[in-house]
Amino acid sequence: AQSVTQLGSHVSVSEGALVLLRCNYSSSVPPYLFWYVQYPNQGLQLLLKYTTGATLVKGINGFEAEFKKSETSFHLTKPSAHMSDAAEYFCAVSGTYGGSQGNLIFGKGTKLSVKP
Amino acid sequence: SQTIHQWPATLVQPVGSPLSLECTVEGTSNPNLYWYRQAAGRGLQLLFYSVGIGQISSEVPQNLSASRPQDRQFILSSKKLLLSDSGFYLCAWRGRVFCTFGSGTRLTVV
């Protein structure tokens, strides 16, 4: 079984400051890991994904995440926050494509606020 | 390219009324399809998934049902809505690695 824990339901940063959103996962199989972003009343947009290979993954809008197997973590970072980054961010885990292990299991989300 | 359509965008329904939400995918065949519900502070809850026509798996016992009458069509239904069915419903399809989501339906049961 898989699960995701996102630490902090709300995170507030100043514009230009570092963004750090925390995600820890549990998986009984080698995981695929994802970060999605959601703007109000919209669907989810994929920010980045980890499948295999390089553990530091770069995504859109300047975000990146590092897969740390020993810590079962996949934290999302961005060096300098922009006002347009204000949104809700979801971490998700799945197994490989086939069967129910291929279902994406999401954390409860972290709402990011950016102060001018 | 693949696209996913979900409608309606918003819906206000009285308690006890039926529900039908539709989702269609274009540009791919035999996709894995999903219905998620998002309630405030509870993240995304997987409701149903389907790996093919007529094949539906339910993740959470509830007042809802799903059907897949065609390869690229996924329908979420209810015979009688409850207040607790209110939420934001998202359809998604999965490629080899990640899910692509529709724009969602905001359902308010009054």
Side-chain angles (χ1 to χ4, degrees):
Chain A
Q2 292 133 334
S3 65
V4 173
T5 301
Q6 290 184 242
L7 297 176
S9 59
H10 288 87
V11 170
S12 181
V13 300
S14 298
E15 192 172 20
L18 171 71
V19 175
L20 171 60
L21 304 183
R22 300 179 186 273
C23 172
N24 288 88
Y25 70 91
S26 171
S27 179
S28 56
V29 297
Y32 287 177
L33 293 159
F34 309 86
W35 276 100
Y36 282 83
V37 60
Q38 185 182 34
Y39 298 98
N41 291 311
Q42 293 186 25
L44 275 71
Q45 180 183 9
L46 182 69
L47 270 181
L48 49 79
K49 62 185 184 296
Y50 168 80
T51 55
T52 58
T55 56
L56 182 62
V57 179
K58 296 187 185 297
I60 62 172
N61 301 338
F63 285 93
E64 61 182 37
E66 187 171 11
F67 169 58
K68 291 188 176 180
K69 184 178 179 180
S70 61
E71 298 178 9
T72 60
S73 69
F74 191 57
H75 302 328
L76 182 70
T77 61
K78 181 174 180 177
S80 176
H82 192 272
M83 296 297 291
S84 61
D85 295 326
E88 191 158 19
Y89 292 79
F90 291 92
C91 182
V93 65
S94 79
T96 54
Y97 180 74
S100 62
Q101 289 182 350
N103 296 339
L104 263 67
I105 304 302
F106 285 86
K108 293 186 183 233
T110 298
K111 193 163 290 186
L112 176 67
S113 300
V114 182
K115 299 174 291 186
Chain B
S1 63
Q2 301 88 359
T3 55
I4 180 167
H5 302 280
Q6 189 180 341
W7 67 93
T10 60
L11 194 57
V12 180
Q13 293 284 100
V15 169
S17 64
L19 173 74
S20 181
L21 302 181
E22 189 163 343
C23 171
T24 59
V25 180
E26 295 178 358
T28 186
S29 59
N30 197 31
N32 279 15
L33 297 172
Y34 303 85
W35 279 110
Y36 285 88
R37 177 170 60 198
Q38 186 176 19
R42 296 182 63 183
L44 283 90
Q45 182 184 35
L46 178 61
L47 302 177
F48 300 96
Y49 70 94
S50 172
V51 299
I53 295 174
Q55 300 179 64
I56 308 294
S57 296
S58 174
E59 290 293 300
V60 181
Q62 61 216 321
N63 185 43
L64 302 169
S65 62
S67 62
R68 186 168 176 175
Q70 300 179 43
D71 181 44
R72 286 169 284 184
Q73 183 184 32
F74 203 23
I75 298 172
L76 183 70
S77 304
S78 173
K79 292 182 179 179
K80 290 185 177 182
L81 283 169
L82 306 172
L83 288 175
S84 58
D85 292 324
S86 293
F88 192 51
Y89 289 82
L90 290 157
C91 179
W93 76 276
R94 181 158 189 184
R96 287 298 303 173
V97 175
F98 65 93
C99 276
T100 299
F101 284 83
S103 54
T105 296
R106 173 74 59 191
L107 172 66
T108 304
V109 182
V110 296

